[in-house]
């Protein structure tokens, strides 16, 4: 059993709370049995650290730790009884026909929720611009509920990506209150589409708005705007019924 908070292995794992260390090692931490089971299904679970009173998962390398050690690794104020060490998933490089694109979505909870909705409503990949929250941070992972283990989440130049999609015959739909916007219910969703969601406070940049082939808005009663994750999820629900 690991009981020392200064144990070298625990000190190295604790560094994964920082994005630069997650990027450097390709590893990240997850918490709770549901997330650990999802990671095991996805084939990215490397090891589990847990209390000695919990059953050990068959076929998984397991390290027994004291509660204070688990608390040191946990992002939850109340601590955690089990923590998984995972390697970032890798996916086959291919062309996707149904995409969610995020421009500078900075709240990790929004990024995680949008990844979860993308997976639930049939998007094949999520593309992030620079400036987006890390999808493998603790808060984003908690919000995605493991969807990021099963769906490609990629960083790319968004303008270049939209131009490439346009050349491949994929329509891009900016979500924005714009003079050219049409309401979501009026959109006939094509077979190949990319839905583009902007920053929580500033929305989409003019550069990205101009690059997109269409602009859509969600019709509402008695209010002007929605949270980015809510708006994106509603639009994804509509877009899943592509012809």
């Amino acid at each position: 059993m690991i009981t020392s908070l200064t144990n070298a292995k625990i000190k190295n794992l604790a560094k994964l709370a920082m994005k630069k260390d997650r990027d450097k090692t390709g590893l990240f931490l997850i918490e709770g049995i549901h997330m650990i089971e999802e990671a095991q299904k996805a084939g990215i679970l490397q090891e589990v650290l847990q209390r000695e009173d919990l059953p050990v998962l068959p076929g998984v390398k397991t390290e027994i730790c004291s509660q204070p050690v688990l608390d040191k690794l946990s992002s939850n104020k109340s601590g955690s009884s089990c923590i998984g060490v995972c390697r970032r998933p890798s996916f086959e490089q291919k062309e996707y026909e149904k995409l969610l694109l995020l421009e500078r979505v900075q709240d990790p909870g929004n990024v995680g929720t949008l990844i979860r909705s993308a997976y639930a409503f049939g998007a094949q990949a999520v593309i992030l611009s620079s400036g987006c929250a890390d999808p493998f941070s603790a808060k984003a992972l908690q919000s995605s509920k493991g969807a990021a283990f099963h769906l490609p989440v990629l960083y790319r130049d968004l303008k270049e990506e939209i131009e490439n999609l346009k050349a491949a015959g994929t329509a891009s739909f900016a979500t924005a209150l714009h003079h050219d916007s049409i309401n979501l219910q009026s959109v006939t969703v094509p077979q190949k589409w990319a839905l583009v969601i902007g920053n929580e406070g500033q929305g989409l940049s003019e550069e990205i708005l101009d690059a997109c082939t269409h602009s859509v808005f969600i019709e509402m009663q008695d209010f002007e705007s929605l949270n980015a994750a809510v708006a994106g999820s509603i639009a994804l629900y509509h877009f899943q019924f592509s012809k």
Side-chain angles (χ1 to χ4, degrees), residues 172-189 194-198 204 209 212-228 230-236 238-239:
S172 51
F173 294 83
T175 53
L177 288 171
H178 192 268
H179 67 275
D180 290 329
S181 294
I182 58 173
N183 69 67
L184 185 63
Q185 291 300 312
S186 299
V187 174
T188 299
V189 182
L195 180 66
V196 191
I197 306 293
L204 290 168
L209 276 171
C212 289
T213 55
H214 303 79
S215 181
V216 300
F217 71 95
I218 298 170
E219 52 273 42
M220 291 175 282
Q221 295 184 30
D222 303 324
F223 213 66
E224 293 184 356
S225 64
L226 293 169
N227 168 275
V230 173
S233 298
I234 291 170
L236 282 163
H238 179 76
F239 272 67

Side-chain angles (χ1 to χ4, degrees), residues 17-229:
M18 303 295 292
K19 184 180 186 301
K20 65 181 181 66
D21 289 284
R22 293 194 295 272
D23 290 343
K24 180 180 178 180
T25 63
L27 301 175
F28 62 94
L29 301 182
I30 56 174
E31 302 185 41
I33 189 61
H34 167 75
M35 292 286 280
I36 287 172
E37 288 173 346
E38 285 299 313
Q40 188 178 26
K41 288 178 192 175
I44 62 171
L45 181 65
Q46 290 201 327
E47 182 179 6
V48 172
L49 295 88
Q50 64 178 53
R51 290 195 319 235
E52 60 182 337
D53 59 316
L54 296 182
V56 174
L57 284 174
V60 178
K61 181 183 177 183
T62 302
E63 193 89 66
I64 303 302
C65 300
S66 67
Q67 189 61 57
V69 168
L70 293 171
D71 290 344
K72 180 179 176 69
L73 299 178
S74 175
S75 64
N76 296 324
K77 291 182 180 179
S78 57
S80 182
S81 60
C82 54
I83 291 174
V85 182
C86 300
R87 181 161 295 279
R88 289 198 183 194
S90 59
F91 297 91
E92 179 186 355
Q93 292 293 322
K94 63 177 185 178
E95 291 185 4
Y96 302 104
E97 295 188 343
K98 300 177 181 182
L99 293 149
L100 175 66
L101 277 57
L102 306 183
E103 185 187 26
R104 296 176 299 109
V105 177
Q106 296 175 327
D107 183 274
N110 284 339
V111 169
T113 299
L114 284 163
I115 292 171
R116 184 180 181 183
S117 294
Y119 187 51
F121 297 135
Q124 298 167 335
V126 178
I127 308 295
L128 308 181
S129 76
S130 60
C132 280
D134 182 6
F136 295 99
S137 68
K139 186 175 180 181
L141 286 167
Q142 183 181 14
S143 297
S144 74
K145 298 298 182 186
F149 307 158
H150 306 288
L151 189 71
V153 181
L154 312 166
Y155 280 96
R156 291 182 181 165
D157 181 282
L158 234 55
K159 185 175 185 297
E160 184 178 317
E161 181 69 16
I162 291 168
E163 295 295 345
N164 290 338
L165 290 169
K166 191 184 301 183
T170 300
S172 51
F173 294 83
T175 53
L177 288 171
H178 192 268
H179 67 275
D180 290 329
S181 294
I182 58 173
N183 69 67
L184 185 63
Q185 291 300 312
S186 299
V187 174
T188 299
V189 182
Q191 183 64 40
K192 297 167 67 174
W193 53 263
L195 180 66
V196 191
I197 306 293
N199 173 268
E200 292 89 346
Q202 299 172 333
L204 290 168
S205 65
E206 286 297 325
E207 179 182 51
I208 296 302
L209 276 171
D210 291 342
C212 289
T213 55
H214 303 79
S215 181
V216 300
F217 71 95
I218 298 170
E219 52 273 42
M220 291 175 282
Q221 295 184 30
D222 303 324
F223 213 66
E224 293 184 356
S225 64
L226 293 169
N227 168 275

